[in-house]
Amino acid sequence: MKPPAAAAPSGGEKGGGVDPSLPRFKCQECNRALVVVGVEAFTDRLPAHAVSGMNASSVQGSVMGASRMDNSYVVLSKQNRSHGHGIPPRPPSASAVSRTEPNQQTRPMEGSYIVLPPAAASIYKTPTSEGGGAHLSPTSMNSSSPSPGNNFHASVTVLKRAFEIATSQTQIEQPLCLDCMRLLSDKMDKEIEDVNADIKAYDACLQRLEQETYSILSEADFQKEKQKIEEEEKKLKAAIEEAEKQYSEICSEMKSLELKSKQFEELEERYCHDLNSFQFQLTSHQEERDAVLAKIEVSQVHLELLKRTNVLNDAFYISHDGVIGTINNFRLGRLPNVQVEWDEINAAWGQAALLLHTMAQYFTPKYRIKIHPMGSYPKVTDINNNTYELFGPVNLFWSTRFDKAMTWFLTCLQEFAEFAISLDKQNNVPPEKSLKLPYKIESDKVGSYTIFLSFNKLDNWTKALKYMLCNLKWVLYWFIGNTSFAPPSGSLNVAESSKG
């Protein structure tokens, strides 16, 4: 057999297609397709009785793989040849088949095989397709040959059966190509070498054991050795019993430990459950605590804000609008180019009078001067119980009563400042922290400007009123600080800016 090659149709070939009824052989190791060649040419040279016998019991030679075997053959043993399962009986005339020449007689052969000479094997080699089928191109076949196709078909059938028998008798799947056969042969040789080496090693060990000398004990020594062995056996039995006893004790202890382990697992599971529940409750309590603390913090901030808040500071907001001082956004004063209505000026005097009157009434000192806050129409009473109106409109050249009312208001503010300074001295307040008016008050002057309106410039009169409001604001901050009220942090800055 050989691997398939591409079919090359011959010019003189008729009906060169592959017979689909023929079996296709593949190598069981590498799965390459094998092609039977040279069988039919050899059968044509045999006599009719030899051909029939060959079809029944012989196995044609083959060329396997890509290599060529010159005298290749398959030998069947006598048992397989005579009693093989599925092999038809061999005719008496076909006990031995050999190559027949015209001038030679048939010679019986001991084994059942067929030898293909190189010439006969190579004459009928033909390329075949990948399908693995047999394609014969007998270029030198005689047209008078007796049914060459049938003989080839029968030969291939017998060859197939021979492969089946070989497979059943050995542990190797047949057929095999030449390369796979060589690899398998090398492998089996190696295994044989290993087995032979093991056999030699066993033989050497056996010889060494046979060469060793043994000392035969006497009856007394034998009894002693036997007694020693029995005693040792008793000791071993006692040790085994002790070990079994310890084993039973350990088993009982293991059972108790397993029981305790289960109890511990239950306790651990219960502990984990309780721990998770406690952690959940702790988290909820912490969230509630954080919420309460946040509310407390907000409440403290609000409380501090309320502590810093003073009704008088919010009710009487003193500031300035340029050169003109303001109280609660009412301008107190006027300029030549800024004509402030008397209603706004009267409202500003009313707020200033109400603020000074409120602070004076809180300490209830004995004043010689009384202020009567009456909205936009305040009045001032001097020490002689003369009442003067602290509102306008008045004439610029004739405003004596209005000027006296402003002077008495300024005197009342100075007396309250002196009372505050004396109170700081009683409380041992350091001089640098005691009340000190930013603008000195002397009779009808604040700083260096008179508060009179008659025969005075509007600019100077307006500045005197602004300085008076600034002193009033400082007195207000002192009042807030000494009556447990704290002014807002930005109020002092406003007072300093109004001072300028």
Side-chain angles (χ1 to χ4, degrees):
M1 292 186 185
K2 69 175 183 178
S10 176
E13 181 180 71
K14 295 182 180 179
V18 178
D19 188 358
S21 63
L22 293 178
R24 299 185 180 185
F25 299 110
K26 289 196 303 182
C27 178
Q28 300 300 314
E29 190 70 22
C30 62
N31 291 329
R32 290 191 300 175
L34 303 177
V35 180
V36 179
V37 297
V39 177
E40 190 173 0
F42 184 77
T43 57
D44 290 341
R45 297 182 183 183
L46 295 176
H49 65 276
V51 171
S52 61
M54 179 191 66
N55 293 337
S57 62
S58 63
V59 179
Q60 278 71 16
S62 62
V63 177
M64 299 183 179
S67 303
R68 187 176 67 181
M69 298 177 62
D70 290 338
N71 290 318
S72 62
Y73 54 89
V74 176
V75 179
L76 299 181
S77 63
K78 293 182 180 181
Q79 294 178 356
N80 293 335
R81 191 167 64 242
S82 60
H83 302 290
H85 175 72
I87 300 178
R90 182 176 59 180
S93 60
S95 61
V97 180
S98 63
R99 187 179 63 178
T100 306
E101 297 294 337
N103 297 325
Q104 294 180 358
Q105 295 180 356
T106 303
R107 182 169 54 89
M109 299 180 70
E110 184 67 23
S112 176
Y113 59 90
I114 292 176
V115 178
L116 298 183
S122 60
I123 290 175
Y124 296 102
K125 289 182 181 179
T126 57
T128 57
S129 61
E130 286 291 330
H135 182 200
L136 301 179
S137 298
T139 55
S140 63
M141 183 180 293
N142 191 1
S143 62
S144 63
S145 299
S147 304
N150 296 331
N151 294 336
F152 178 76
H153 187 279
S155 301
V156 173
T157 305
V158 172
L159 184 60
K160 178 183 178 183
R161 184 58 185 162
F163 284 140
E164 293 177 356
I165 294 172
T167 301
S168 63
Q169 295 296 324
T170 62
Q171 296 180 355
I172 303 170
E173 294 290 336
Q174 298 292 338
L176 291 176
C177 65
L178 184 59
D179 295 335
C180 297
M181 183 187 68
R182 287 174 179 172
L183 294 175
L184 183 60
S185 177
D186 296 339
K187 182 178 179 182
M188 295 180 68
D189 290 340
K190 183 65 172 59
E191 292 179 356
I192 291 171
E193 291 178 0
D194 295 339
V195 172
N196 290 331
D198 294 340
I199 291 172
K200 290 180 180 179
Y202 293 148
D203 290 338
C205 292
L206 184 60
Q207 290 177 4
R208 188 170 61 254
L209 290 175
E210 289 176 353
Q211 291 175 1
E212 291 181 355
T213 59
Y214 300 97
S215 60
I216 301 174
L217 298 175
S218 62
E219 184 67 22
D221 295 336
F222 176 76
Q223 293 296 332
K224 290 181 180 179
E225 292 293 332
K226 182 179 179 182
Q227 187 177 0
K228 289 181 180 178
I229 293 173
E230 289 177 353
E231 291 177 356
E232 187 176 357
E233 184 179 0
K234 290 180 181 179
K235 291 180 180 179
L236 292 175
K237 287 182 178 179
I240 290 172
E241 291 177 356
E242 183 67 21
E244 289 179 352
K245 183 179 180 181
Q246 292 179 358
Y247 176 74
S248 60
E249 292 177 356
I250 291 172
C251 288
S252 61
E253 187 176 359
M254 282 290 295
K255 290 181 180 179
S256 63
L257 291 176
E258 288 178 356
L259 181 61
K260 290 181 180 180
S261 176
K262 290 182 180 179
Q263 294 176 355
F264 284 139
E265 288 178 357
E266 293 177 357
L267 290 174
E268 183 180 5
E269 185 177 0
R270 189 182 307 168
Y271 169 75
C272 292
H273 183 271
D274 295 340
L275 178 63
N276 293 333
S277 177
F278 174 75
Q279 287 181 348
F280 177 75
Q281 294 177 1
L282 179 62
T283 303
S284 61
H285 288 316
Q286 287 178 349
E287 291 177 354
E288 292 180 1
R289 182 201 63 186
D290 294 340
V292 171
L293 291 177
K295 290 181 179 179
I296 292 173
E297 185 177 358
V298 172
S299 300
Q300 287 178 350
V301 172
H302 187 61
L303 178 61
E304 293 295 329
L305 181 61
L306 292 176
K307 286 181 179 180
R308 292 195 301 269
T309 302
N310 186 271
V311 176
L312 296 179
N313 189 49
D314 292 339
F316 302 98
Y317 177 68
I318 299 174
S319 182
H320 63 91
D321 183 9
V323 182
I324 305 174
T326 60
I327 178 170
N328 288 341
N329 295 325
F330 293 117
R331 291 174 292 181
L332 185 59
R334 61 195 315 182
L335 298 174
N337 56 348
V338 181
Q339 296 296 324
V340 181
E341 298 294 334
W342 278 103
D343 292 338
E344 185 175 354
I345 296 173
N346 296 335
W349 273 117
Q351 295 293 321
L354 180 60
L355 174 58
L356 185 57
H357 175 75
T358 302
M359 291 188 295
Q361 291 298 320
Y362 182 82
F363 290 103
T364 62
K366 295 180 179 179
Y367 286 115
R368 298 175 300 164
I369 304 168
K370 295 182 180 180
I371 300 175
H372 306 281
M374 301 173 63
S376 297
Y377 304 98
K379 295 179 181 180
V380 179
T381 301
D382 61 2
I383 56 177
N384 299 320
N385 292 327
N386 296 322
T387 303
Y388 301 95
E389 294 81 7
L390 194 58
F391 57 87
V394 294
N395 191 349
L396 184 60
F397 299 100
W398 189 257
S399 55
T400 305
R401 296 182 63 83
F402 184 65
D403 293 338
K404 287 184 178 182
M406 290 188 294
T407 303
W408 289 119
F409 181 86
L410 196 61
T411 303
C412 184
L413 177 61
Q414 185 180 6
E415 290 180 356
F416 187 83
E418 292 175 356
F419 168 77
I421 293 171
S422 63
L423 190 60
D424 288 339
K425 289 180 180 181
Q426 292 177 7
N427 296 328
N428 296 323
V429 178
E432 62 272 10
K433 295 184 179 180
S434 180
L435 175 63
K436 185 177 180 180
L437 296 178
Y439 301 101
K440 187 177 180 180
I441 299 175
E442 293 179 351
S443 184
D444 60 332
K445 290 183 178 181
V446 182
S448 58
Y449 297 97
T450 181
I451 204 170
F452 284 170
L453 181 59
S454 301
F455 304 101
N456 194 7
K457 293 181 179 180
L458 293 178
D459 295 339
N460 296 334
W461 177 63
T462 301
K463 286 183 179 181
L465 294 177
K466 180 180 178 183
Y467 294 163
M468 183 271 298
L469 287 177
C470 185
N471 288 338
L472 183 61
K473 189 166 187 177
W474 279 89
V475 172
L476 173 62
Y477 283 131
W478 177 89
F479 178 80
I480 292 172
N482 287 273
T483 55
S484 302
F485 289 101
S489 59
S491 301
L492 291 176
N493 296 331
V494 175
E496 292 177 358
S497 59
S498 61
K499 178 180 177 181

